[in-house]
PDB file of all heavy atoms in Angstrom:
ATOM      1  N   ASN A1138      -6.413 -10.165   6.840  1.00 95.00           N
ATOM      2  CA  ASN A1138      -6.911 -11.532   6.923  1.00 95.00           C
ATOM      3  C   ASN A1138      -7.070 -12.072   5.513  1.00 95.00           C
ATOM      4  O   ASN A1138      -7.172 -11.318   4.541  1.00 95.00           O
ATOM      5  CB  ASN A1138      -8.221 -11.606   7.711  1.00 95.00           C
ATOM      6  CG  ASN A1138      -9.339 -10.817   7.078  1.00 95.00           C
ATOM      7  OD1 ASN A1138      -9.908 -11.226   6.066  1.00 95.00           O
ATOM      8  ND2 ASN A1138      -9.653  -9.651   7.649  1.00 95.00           N
ATOM      9  N   GLU A1139      -7.080 -13.370   5.384  1.00 96.00           N
ATOM     10  CA  GLU A1139      -7.051 -13.997   4.067  1.00 96.00           C
ATOM     11  C   GLU A1139      -8.279 -13.685   3.225  1.00 96.00           C
ATOM     12  O   GLU A1139      -8.172 -13.432   2.017  1.00 96.00           O
ATOM     13  CB  GLU A1139      -6.903 -15.515   4.220  1.00 96.00           C
ATOM     14  CG  GLU A1139      -6.751 -16.227   2.886  1.00 96.00           C
ATOM     15  CD  GLU A1139      -6.616 -17.736   3.036  1.00 96.00           C
ATOM     16  OE1 GLU A1139      -6.190 -18.191   4.126  1.00 96.00           O
ATOM     17  OE2 GLU A1139      -6.938 -18.445   2.063  1.00 96.00           O
ATOM     18  N   SER A1140      -9.462 -13.686   3.833  1.00 96.00           N
ATOM     19  CA  SER A1140     -10.677 -13.446   3.058  1.00 96.00           C
ATOM     20  C   SER A1140     -10.695 -12.039   2.479  1.00 96.00           C
ATOM     21  O   SER A1140     -11.085 -11.834   1.322  1.00 96.00           O
ATOM     22  CB  SER A1140     -11.917 -13.687   3.927  1.00 96.00           C
ATOM     23  OG  SER A1140     -11.935 -12.806   5.033  1.00 96.00           O
ATOM     24  N   ALA A1141     -10.253 -11.053   3.285  1.00 95.00           N
ATOM     25  CA  ALA A1141     -10.206  -9.678   2.796  1.00 95.00           C
ATOM     26  C   ALA A1141      -9.179  -9.536   1.678  1.00 95.00           C
ATOM     27  O   ALA A1141      -9.406  -8.835   0.685  1.00 95.00           O
ATOM     28  CB  ALA A1141      -9.878  -8.720   3.941  1.00 95.00           C
ATOM     29  N   LEU A1142      -8.042 -10.212   1.827  1.00 97.00           N
ATOM     30  CA  LEU A1142      -7.001 -10.142   0.805  1.00 97.00           C
ATOM     31  C   LEU A1142      -7.477 -10.794  -0.495  1.00 97.00           C
ATOM     32  O   LEU A1142      -7.265 -10.246  -1.586  1.00 97.00           O
ATOM     33  CB  LEU A1142      -5.739 -10.834   1.297  1.00 97.00           C
ATOM     34  CG  LEU A1142      -4.563 -10.839   0.316  1.00 97.00           C
ATOM     35  CD1 LEU A1142      -4.107  -9.422   0.017  1.00 97.00           C
ATOM     36  CD2 LEU A1142      -3.401 -11.667   0.860  1.00 97.00           C
ATOM     37  N   LYS A1143      -8.129 -11.933  -0.405  1.00 97.00           N
ATOM     38  CA  LYS A1143      -8.617 -12.617  -1.606  1.00 97.00           C
ATOM     39  C   LYS A1143      -9.648 -11.756  -2.322  1.00 97.00           C
ATOM     40  O   LYS A1143      -9.625 -11.638  -3.566  1.00 97.00           O
ATOM     41  CB  LYS A1143      -9.230 -13.965  -1.233  1.00 97.00           C
ATOM     42  CG  LYS A1143      -9.675 -14.768  -2.443  1.00 97.00           C
ATOM     43  CD  LYS A1143     -10.239 -16.122  -2.030  1.00 97.00           C
ATOM     44  CE  LYS A1143     -10.654 -16.923  -3.267  1.00 97.00           C
ATOM     45  NZ  LYS A1143     -11.240 -18.241  -2.899  1.00 97.00           N
ATOM     46  N   ARG A1144     -10.535 -11.133  -1.583  1.00 96.00           N
ATOM     47  CA  ARG A1144     -11.551 -10.267  -2.183  1.00 96.00           C
ATOM     48  C   ARG A1144     -10.902  -9.089  -2.908  1.00 96.00           C
ATOM     49  O   ARG A1144     -11.276  -8.739  -4.027  1.00 96.00           O
ATOM     50  CB  ARG A1144     -12.500  -9.767  -1.092  1.00 96.00           C
ATOM     51  CG  ARG A1144     -13.658  -8.919  -1.603  1.00 96.00           C
ATOM     52  CD  ARG A1144     -14.655  -8.660  -0.501  1.00 96.00           C
ATOM     53  NE  ARG A1144     -14.076  -7.949   0.629  1.00 96.00           N
ATOM     54  CZ  ARG A1144     -13.840  -8.484   1.807  1.00 96.00           C
ATOM     55  NH1 ARG A1144     -14.103  -9.761   2.037  1.00 96.00           N
ATOM     56  NH2 ARG A1144     -13.324  -7.758   2.796  1.00 96.00           N
ATOM     57  N   THR A1145      -9.868  -8.501  -2.283  1.00 97.00           N
ATOM     58  CA  THR A1145      -9.171  -7.375  -2.892  1.00 97.00           C
ATOM     59  C   THR A1145      -8.404  -7.814  -4.137  1.00 97.00           C
ATOM     60  O   THR A1145      -8.368  -7.099  -5.144  1.00 97.00           O
ATOM     61  CB  THR A1145      -8.200  -6.736  -1.879  1.00 97.00           C
ATOM     62  OG1 THR A1145      -8.925  -6.383  -0.696  1.00 97.00           O
ATOM     63  CG2 THR A1145      -7.562  -5.481  -2.447  1.00 97.00           C
ATOM     64  N   ALA A1146      -7.785  -8.994  -4.076  1.00 97.00           N
ATOM     65  CA  ALA A1146      -7.045  -9.524  -5.221  1.00 97.00           C
ATOM     66  C   ALA A1146      -7.976  -9.756  -6.404  1.00 97.00           C
ATOM     67  O   ALA A1146      -7.631  -9.447  -7.557  1.00 97.00           O
ATOM     68  CB  ALA A1146      -6.348 -10.823  -4.837  1.00 97.00           C
ATOM     69  N   GLU A1147      -9.156 -10.273  -6.145  1.00 97.00           N
ATOM     70  CA  GLU A1147     -10.108 -10.526  -7.223  1.00 97.00           C
ATOM     71  C   GLU A1147     -10.657  -9.218  -7.793  1.00 97.00           C
ATOM     72  O   GLU A1147     -10.880  -9.115  -9.011  1.00 97.00           O
ATOM     73  CB  GLU A1147     -11.238 -11.425  -6.711  1.00 97.00           C
ATOM     74  CG  GLU A1147     -10.751 -12.846  -6.420  1.00 97.00           C
ATOM     75  CD  GLU A1147     -11.815 -13.729  -5.818  1.00 97.00           C
ATOM     76  OE1 GLU A1147     -12.844 -13.178  -5.348  1.00 97.00           O
ATOM     77  OE2 GLU A1147     -11.625 -14.958  -5.806  1.00 97.00           O
ATOM     78  N   ASN A1148     -10.855  -8.230  -6.940  1.00 97.00           N
ATOM     79  CA  ASN A1148     -11.294  -6.915  -7.427  1.00 97.00           C
ATOM     80  C   ASN A1148     -10.254  -6.321  -8.371  1.00 97.00           C
ATOM     81  O   ASN A1148     -10.584  -5.758  -9.424  1.00 97.00           O
ATOM     82  CB  ASN A1148     -11.522  -5.957  -6.257  1.00 97.00           C
ATOM     83  CG  ASN A1148     -12.768  -6.290  -5.463  1.00 97.00           C
ATOM     84  OD1 ASN A1148     -13.654  -7.007  -5.946  1.00 97.00           O
ATOM     85  ND2 ASN A1148     -12.852  -5.787  -4.243  1.00 97.00           N
ATOM     86  N   TYR A1149      -8.971  -6.459  -7.987  1.00 97.00           N
ATOM     87  CA  TYR A1149      -7.892  -5.953  -8.833  1.00 97.00           C
ATOM     88  C   TYR A1149      -7.880  -6.678 -10.173  1.00 97.00           C
ATOM     89  O   TYR A1149      -7.779  -6.049 -11.234  1.00 97.00           O
ATOM     90  CB  TYR A1149      -6.549  -6.129  -8.131  1.00 97.00           C
ATOM     91  CG  TYR A1149      -5.364  -5.967  -9.056  1.00 97.00           C
ATOM     92  CD1 TYR A1149      -4.999  -4.709  -9.544  1.00 97.00           C
ATOM     93  CD2 TYR A1149      -4.618  -7.070  -9.471  1.00 97.00           C
ATOM     94  CE1 TYR A1149      -3.927  -4.565 -10.415  1.00 97.00           C
ATOM     95  CE2 TYR A1149      -3.552  -6.930 -10.336  1.00 97.00           C
ATOM     96  CZ  TYR A1149      -3.207  -5.677 -10.798  1.00 97.00           C
ATOM     97  OH  TYR A1149      -2.159  -5.536 -11.670  1.00 97.00           O
TER      98      TYR A1149
END
Side-chain angles (χ1 to χ4, degrees):
N1138 62 74
E1139 185 180 336
S1140 61
L1142 180 62
K1143 184 178 181 181
R1144 183 171 60 251
T1145 305
E1147 291 176 345
N1148 288 342
Y1149 165 72

